[in-house]
Amino acid sequence: METAVNVVLSMLPEEERTGAVLDENKAITPETPSKEQEENSQLSLLIDKLEYIDEISDRLNSMEKELKDIKTQNKILQDQNDELRTTVETSSNKRDENLFIDS
């Protein structure tokens, strides 16, 4: 096969031989795979970034839920505190009234 290629190439004029070899070299050169590799690398990097963004989004959603839970707990504690304050004031007022009546 190699001999056949050499025979056919020897029949061609010099310019055509060089052109054919150059065209063949262009097809073989790593420029195309290099571009593909670069695009694949960029796509891989983009996918990694999207996964990272998705992970951050999940964390933010989790933190948002946790914050809502904390706010709910805080509201319950405030209500309990207000209720306790009211109970203490009422009890204190009753005690004062009883002391005042007994005196």
Side-chain angles (χ1 to χ4, degrees):
M1 189 184 248
E2 205 172 307
T3 307
V5 169
N6 288 332
V7 169
V8 171
L9 284 177
S10 67
M11 292 180 188
L12 296 173
E14 180 78 28
E15 301 86 32
E16 289 183 26
R17 276 190 260 162
T18 307
V21 170
L22 286 176
D23 289 342
E24 185 177 311
N25 284 342
K26 285 181 184 176
I28 295 174
T29 55
E31 288 180 30
T32 305
S34 176
K35 283 183 180 180
E36 288 176 12
Q37 287 175 347
E38 185 178 329
E39 287 175 358
N40 286 341
S41 176
Q42 288 176 350
L43 284 174
S44 179
L45 191 63
L46 182 60
I47 288 170
D48 289 345
K49 286 181 180 181
L50 287 172
E51 287 173 352
Y52 180 69
I53 289 170
D54 191 40
E55 182 181 327
I56 289 175
S57 177
D58 289 344
R59 286 182 183 178
L60 284 173
N61 288 335
S62 175
M63 290 172 75
E64 185 178 21
K65 183 186 179 309
E66 191 174 330
L67 181 61
K68 285 179 182 180
D69 291 344
I70 289 172
K71 284 181 175 182
T72 301
Q73 290 174 357
N74 191 26
K75 177 68 174 140
I76 289 170
L77 288 172
Q78 284 177 342
D79 290 346
Q80 288 176 347
N81 190 25
D82 289 343
E83 195 175 308
L84 183 60
R85 183 179 300 125
T86 302
T87 303
V88 167
E89 285 176 3
T90 303
S91 179
S92 177
N93 286 339
K94 283 183 179 181
R95 183 193 54 129
D96 288 348
E97 284 178 20
N98 286 338
L99 285 174
F100 184 71
I101 293 175
D102 289 341
S103 347

